Each structure stands twice: as structure tokens, then as C-alpha cells.
């Protein structure tokens, strides 16, 4: 059996948990020549869905029997199975517990019933405080690992690993379908999170990358004495061999001053703020069913930099949302220019099945959206390059991820750079540095968002 993963870091955690479960069920994971290929799909946006279908088709071309799991499989289920006969089975989250048995059925040619999607927000109580007991009856991806139930299996030896702290989302953003197939928000118990973090540390991990659909909501469904993210971070940072803890996906409207201070001031917690702004025009944000505006978002940025002037701040933005005007776009340009973020993703709006925005008026044509993506993208490229230039002369602590060899430079990441999305550090004269090392460096130059650094004497 082989396992292919698409999409975000949350899917990577799900795949490692699936690998552990399948191993316990007698399945051996191989790189080539698999009888069965499990594809952990992504169903977030149209391109991700296309990539998932292409991967499923390519896997079937090898002669293996192909099983689709993950977000796209959960979201479309039988519809995907009917349109893609190349897949031997399309399985949802609730079938993860007996996935090994379902693969046995597939291998032996037995008919496996396709998943029938439901709105997963309806599977748990509306009141968050009642969800912890109810989740025992619902399969919540990323919640199958516990202190006495080690199911996760690492699929690489990278010095950084994602660690899921929650699943699902209670927000009702008009453009987003994720809550319908990921479900309502459920925190993992802090003891379970810490136990898994300790296991990761024992297996070579130096940096923990905390992931969820909304990290700022962590703990709202737990008893007050168990604390929130502010209480969890010091516990994770104190684990032996863990040198850096990084938080992802913070909602600006829920980011309290106490959380900003905890991230900025807790030793070994990266001064890194992954803020889900999405836009800054109040008009567009209200149509998105979100809160905030340019001035409130700038106030949050200044608050972060007051605690940690060198903090990394990144975000994603949607342009071309239904009803977006030139004035709205100018407001976004004002925010980006004044905020001087370190990394920015720009996405053109597209309809998502089953979302409120799909039926909004004021739709913009594709050419207008593409022009706005180009316009904002050009601004962002200039601004983020300037932000990187501002770091020349400063000191950074770099986690080495790729050692120097005859074909490539030594590459790592500083505190303000998250895996894969925020640029990297190219380390000069890196002889003797090994993957997983943390080294103090001075920034001597920049290339776009990437930094050129020299190792400082110890």
C-alpha cells in the first residue's frame, strides 16, 4: 500500500495518522509497486480538486487499486465515485476507524459502499461545551491519537512536523465550504496534544507547527481550568528537544492581546503571526461575513510589533469578491502598504459549491478578477521584498532543513518563515551544518522574500 497526500499541513497530520492505523491493521507502506494506493485528497478550491482528480487518475494508471479519502472524498462522496470509476472506493472520515478492513475488501475485489456526504456541522452539538463528549461518537480527523493510543506514523524525517490542536470551524464565512465537510470546531485535549508533541520530539522533530482551521478558538470547548492556547504554548515549548513552536491560522477578530503577548513573549515560541485577514475593506468583509477593517487590522499589526518588532506576519487575501469596488481595492492597497507584511498570498475569487457567496450579486467577470490579482500581486511582491531588505544586518536563528551538497546550497528557515510558504534562508559557508541544526546567523542580503545569511561565530 502507498499513501499520497495533497493539500495543507492538516492533511499531512491526517495521513500520518492513517499510516499508523493501517500499519496496526497489517498493511505495509511502500514507495513503489503498491497493490493499493490511498490518495488523501484536498477539496478546498477548484485547482486543488483538479489536482486531486489528476492524482487519482495517475495512480490508477499504475494498475493499482485506488482509494480516495480526505476532504474531497468527504465533501463529494458518492458523486465523486460515480464520476470517477477509476477509484475502487471513495471513503469519508467516519470510515477511517476501519480503513484497514475496507482496503482488504478493495484488494480482494469486494464492493465497498461509497461515502454519502452530510453537513458535518450537524453531527455535533451547537453548544461548544457539549462537544467533547459527543465527539466520541463522530470521527474527527486528527483526534484519534492519545497518550495511550499511539497511531501516528511519521512519513518523513524532517526536523519540523505539523501538530493538530483542533479540527473544524464555527465561523460562517460566505466564501468557505470547509465547515460543512470538516465539521464544527473541536479542540484536542491539551494532555493529548502535549503527549503527541513529546512523541514527535522523541522521533527527531525540533520545530512543532501547530495547525487547525482556527487556532484562536482553541480551548473554547474545554473546561476553563484546562486553559486556552496561551496556557498550551508554554507546555509545548518546555518539551525536551523542542527548540521552536510555531502557531498557524489566527483569526484577527478572535486574537486577544493576551494571545499576542503569549506568542511574542514565551521562550521558544516563534514570533510569527499567521493572520487570516482575507481583505481589509469593511464593505467586502461584511459580505464575506467577517469582522474588521483597515484601521482595526493595522492596530493589531502595531500591537504585534510593539511586543516583537521583528515578528513575522503573513496573510492571505481574496480579491474580486462579489461587490468589490475600486474603492474597496484601494482600501486593501492602503492596508498592505502600511502593514508591510512579510509574506502574502493573493487569490482571485471563485465560486465554491454550497457557499453563500455562490449566490451573491455583484459578480465580477474573470478578466477583471485576473487584472486585480495581477495588480495586488505586483504590489505585494514589491512590499514583501522591501520587508526582507529591511532585515539585512539583523540576526536570525535558522533551522537547517537541507544540507549543502554539490548541487544545492544549505537552506533553512528563520523564525519569521513558516515551512514552504514564507521564503527561506540561504546559508553561506555552511560546511559542517547538519539538517536539524539551529544556528545564529546574520542577514547579509535578500532575494525577494528569501534571505542570504552568514553563520555567526559561537
Amino acid at each position: 500500500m502507498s499513501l499520497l497526500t495533497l493539500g495543507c499541513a492538516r492533511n499531512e497530520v491526517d495521513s500520518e495518522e492513517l499510516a499508523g492505523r493501517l500499519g496496526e491493521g497489517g498493511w505495509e507502506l511502500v514507495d513503489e509497486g503498491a497493490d493499493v494506493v490511498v490518495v488523501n485528497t484536498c477539496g478546498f478550491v477548484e485547482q486543488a480538486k483538479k489536482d486531486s482528480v489528476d492524482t487519482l487518475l495517475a495512480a490508477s494508471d499504475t494498475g493499482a487499486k485506488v482509494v480516495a479519502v480526505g476532504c474531497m472524498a468527504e465533501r463529494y462522496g458518492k458523486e465523486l465515485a460515480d464520476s470517477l470509476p477509476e477509484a475502487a472506493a471513495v471513503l469519508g472520515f467516519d470510515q477511517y476507524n476501519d480503513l484497514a478492513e475496507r482496503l482488504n475488501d478493495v484488494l480482494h475485489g469486494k464492493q465497498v459502499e461509497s461515502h454519502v456526504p452530510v453537513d458535518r456541522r450537524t453531527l455535533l452539538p451547537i453548544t461548544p461545551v457539549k462537544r467533547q463528549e459527543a465527539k466520541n461518537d463522530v470521527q474527527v480527523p486528527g483526534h484519534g491519537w492519545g497518550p495511550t493510543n499511539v497511531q501516528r506514523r511519521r512519513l518523513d524525517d524532517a526536523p519540523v512536523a505539523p501538530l493538530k490542536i483542533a479540527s473544524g470551524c464555527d465561523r460562517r464565512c460566505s466564501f468557505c465550504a470547509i465547515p460543512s465537510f470538516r465539521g464544527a470546531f473541536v479542540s484536542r485535549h491539551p494532555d493529548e496534544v502535549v503527549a503527541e508533541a513529546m512523541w514527535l520530539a522523541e522521533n527527531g522533530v525540533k520545530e512543532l507547527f501547530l495547525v487547525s482551521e482556527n487556532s484562536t478558538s482553541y480551548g473554547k470547548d474545554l473546561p476553563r481550568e484546562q486553559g486556552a492556547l496561551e496556557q498550551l504554548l508554554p507546555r509545548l515549548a518546555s518539551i525536551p528537544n523542542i527548540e521552536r513552536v510555531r502557531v498557524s491560522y489566527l483569526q484577527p477578530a478572535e486574537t486577544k492581546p493576551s494571545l499576542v503577548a503569549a506568542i511574542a513573549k514565551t521562550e521558544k515560541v516563534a514570533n510569527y503571526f499567521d493572520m487570516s485577514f482575507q481583505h481589509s475593506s469593511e464593505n467586502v468583509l461584511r459580505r464575506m461575513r467577517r469582522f474588521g477593517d483597515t484601521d482595526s487590522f493595522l492596530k493589531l499589526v502595531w500591537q504585534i510589533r510593539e511586543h516583537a518588532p521583528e515578528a513575522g506576519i503573513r496573510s492571505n487575501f481574496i480579491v474580486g469578491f462579489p461587490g468589490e469596488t475600486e474603492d474597496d481595492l484601494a482600501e486593501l492597497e492602503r492596508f498592505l502598504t502600511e502593514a508591510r507584511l512579510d509574506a502574502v498570498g493573493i487569490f482571485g475569487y471563485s465560486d465554491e459549491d454550497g457557499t453563500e457567496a455562490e449566490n451573491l450579486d455583484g459578480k465580477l467577470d474573470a478578466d477583471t478578477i485576473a487584472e486585480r490579482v495581477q495588480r495586488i500581486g505586483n504590489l505585494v511582491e514589491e512590499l514583501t521584498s522591501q520587508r526582507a531588505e529591511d532585515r539585512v544586518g539583523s540576526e536570525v536563528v535558522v533551522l537547517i532543513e537541507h544540507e549543502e551538497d554539490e548541487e544545492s546550497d544549505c537552506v533553512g528557515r528563520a523564525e519569521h518563515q513558516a515551512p514552504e510558504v514564507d521564503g527561506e534562508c540561504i546559508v553561506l559557508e555552511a560546511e559542517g551544518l547538519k539538517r536539524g541544526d539551529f544556528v545564529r546567523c546574520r542577514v547579509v542580503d535578500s532575494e525577494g522574500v528569501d534571505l542570504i545569511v552568514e553563520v555567526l561565530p559561537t
Side-chain angles (χ1 to χ4, degrees):
M1 180 271 299
S2 64
L3 179 59
L4 306 178
T5 306
L6 296 96
C8 64
R10 297 181 286 278
N11 255 19
E12 293 176 21
V13 178
D14 291 349
S15 284
E16 293 196 346
E17 186 173 301
L18 289 175
R21 292 184 179 192
L22 290 170
E24 291 176 354
W27 283 88
E28 180 183 357
L29 195 63
V30 297
D31 294 327
E32 296 180 356
D35 295 320
V36 178
V37 177
V38 177
V39 180
N40 189 356
T41 61
C42 178
F44 180 43
V45 293
E46 197 60 39
Q47 184 59 51
K49 289 182 277 191
K50 182 180 183 302
D51 291 344
S52 293
V53 170
D54 289 346
T55 301
L56 289 162
L57 292 173
S60 71
D61 288 342
T62 67
K65 295 187 177 182
V66 179
V67 175
V69 298
C71 290
M72 188 177 182
E74 174 66 34
R75 185 176 181 183
Y76 293 102
K78 190 174 186 303
E79 178 184 346
L80 176 62
D82 291 344
S83 64
L84 196 71
E86 291 85 353
V90 175
L91 305 179
F93 297 150
D94 290 329
Q95 293 162 297
Y96 281 11
N97 279 334
D98 58 358
L99 185 59
E101 294 179 25
R102 298 291 74 75
L103 294 195
N104 285 330
D105 292 340
V106 167
L107 183 63
H108 293 98
K110 296 182 180 179
Q111 184 71 29
V112 176
E113 185 175 350
S114 298
H115 163 64
V116 178
V118 296
D119 186 336
R120 295 192 69 84
R121 291 171 293 191
T122 65
L123 301 182
L124 291 171
I126 295 175
T127 306
V129 294
K130 297 181 179 180
R131 290 180 188 162
Q132 288 296 316
E133 293 181 6
K135 78 179 177 66
N136 296 327
D137 299 321
V138 176
Q139 179 63 38
V140 181
H143 284 67
W145 198 102
T148 59
N149 184 25
V150 181
Q151 292 180 323
R152 183 172 178 178
R153 171 183 170 181
R154 294 210 69 200
L155 297 176
D156 61 37
D157 60 353
V160 58
L163 174 60
K164 188 174 291 189
I165 62 172
S167 286
C169 185
D170 286 342
R171 302 186 71 86
R172 293 295 180 265
C173 302
S174 63
F175 58 84
C176 184
I178 289 175
S180 67
F181 57 86
R182 277 287 182 176
F185 183 89
V186 183
S187 302
R188 295 181 69 189
H189 192 286
D191 291 347
E192 182 181 324
V193 176
V194 171
E196 184 171 348
M198 293 175 65
W199 176 82
L200 289 169
E202 292 166 358
N203 283 272
V205 171
K206 301 292 186 66
E207 177 179 323
L208 299 172
F209 187 30
L210 308 188
V211 298
S212 72
E213 279 74 30
N214 178 6
S215 296
T216 35
S217 283
Y218 179 79
K220 75 175 187 179
D221 52 333
L222 298 171
R224 181 169 298 179
E225 63 271 15
Q226 292 179 3
L229 192 54
E230 293 94 316
Q231 285 71 49
L232 178 63
L233 291 174
R235 293 185 64 185
L236 295 173
S238 66
I239 294 173
N241 298 323
I242 294 299
E243 297 296 331
R244 183 183 285 164
V245 178
R246 183 182 304 278
V247 183
S248 72
Y249 216 78
L250 303 172
Q251 286 288 345
E254 298 179 32
T255 302
K256 299 177 292 185
S258 60
L259 179 57
V260 172
I263 293 174
K265 302 300 182 183
T266 303
E267 186 178 1
K268 294 188 177 182
V269 174
N271 283 324
Y272 175 81
F273 294 81
D274 176 15
M275 308 301 306
S276 175
F277 289 122
Q278 303 298 345
H279 211 283
S280 74
S281 163
E282 184 175 14
N283 170 57
V284 174
L285 287 167
R286 294 303 174 271
R287 289 173 68 86
M288 289 180 169
R289 294 205 178 277
R290 296 174 67 87
F291 301 96
D293 55 30
T294 296
D295 291 333
S296 65
F297 288 170
L298 286 173
K299 183 178 178 180
L300 178 56
V301 169
W302 306 149
Q303 181 184 95
I304 290 169
R305 291 194 172 134
E306 182 178 356
H307 282 288
E310 298 300 317
I313 307 176
R314 75 141 7 249
S315 191
N316 294 322
F317 297 87
I318 299 171
V319 297
F321 193 79
E324 181 189 67
T325 67
E326 280 291 333
D327 287 343
D328 295 326
L329 202 65
E331 191 70 359
L332 176 57
E333 289 174 320
R334 178 170 80 89
F335 172 72
L336 290 168
T337 302
E338 295 186 30
R340 297 180 66 79
L341 306 179
D342 292 85
V344 177
I346 301 296
F347 300 89
Y349 172 80
S350 62
D351 287 336
E352 275 297 305
D353 297 339
T355 62
E356 180 183 350
E358 189 179 20
N359 298 311
L360 288 177
D361 58 10
K363 295 284 179 66
L364 304 180
D365 62 74
D367 288 343
T368 300
I369 294 174
E371 185 275 328
R372 292 185 178 185
V373 168
Q374 185 67 42
R375 171 177 158 186
I376 301 298
N378 289 341
L379 175 64
V380 160
E381 184 176 357
E382 178 183 355
L383 292 171
T384 54
S385 294
Q386 290 174 0
R387 178 68 175 163
E389 289 175 10
D390 291 343
R391 294 187 183 274
V392 173
S394 66
E395 290 187 15
V396 292
V397 177
V398 177
L399 168 59
I400 304 300
E401 293 189 309
H402 302 286
E403 299 171 16
E404 185 178 36
D405 57 33
E406 295 179 357
E407 299 181 355
S408 59
D409 296 317
C410 179
V411 175
R413 288 180 298 102
E415 193 172 359
H416 69 282
Q417 297 169 319
E420 300 181 2
V421 294
D422 295 339
E424 59 191 17
C425 291
I426 300 169
V427 186
L428 304 177
E429 299 180 9
E431 184 177 356
L433 294 181
K434 301 296 183 184
R435 193 181 195 200
D437 288 346
F438 279 84
V439 290
R440 288 176 56 250
C441 300
R442 187 177 304 282
V443 182
V444 297
D445 202 355
S446 64
E447 295 180 358
V449 296
D450 296 335
L451 303 181
I452 313 300
V453 302
E454 290 180 345
V455 179
L456 290 171
T458 55

